[in-house]
Amino acid sequence: MSKPHYFVLGDYNAACFECGRRFKASTLKKHWRGYYVCPEHWEPRDPQEFVGTPRRPEAPPWVQLQEDLFVDTPTTPWVPPIR
């Protein structure tokens, strides 16, 4: 454990977020969650959190509708044959 009561120009005393012990601020490391911890409690972020699913292909930037569509549309509704 460091002695936090000695003087260092430009440095100050700070507490570890996990254990609460006091250290010099220059010895604390920023945790991936955003708070500062001592080197004993620092841990890297789990690489599995960065694994993602493949991206879906993007839609085309524009499409053009075809006017000449040859679709057979019956004029009368379909009726099944009687057996």
Side-chain angles (χ1 to χ4, degrees), residues 14-81:
C16 172
F17 186 82
E18 294 285 329
C19 64
R21 292 186 296 173
R22 293 193 302 188
F23 295 90
K24 287 295 182 186
S26 60
T27 62
L28 296 179
K29 297 175 89 177
K30 189 171 185 178
H31 196 267
W32 59 270
R33 292 183 183 158
Y35 49 80
Y36 288 87
V37 294
C38 61
E40 179 183 335
H41 289 108
W42 185 83
E43 60 186 25
R45 192 165 182 176
D46 189 5
Q48 287 293 321
E49 293 185 33
F50 299 107
V51 175
T53 57
R55 299 192 102 184
R56 298 178 75 186
E58 293 185 18
W62 59 273
V63 294
Q64 182 172 337
L65 297 176
Q66 296 291 332
E67 295 295 328
D68 299 349
L69 295 177
F70 298 103
V71 179
D72 184 22
T73 56
T75 56
T76 59
W78 182 79
V79 179

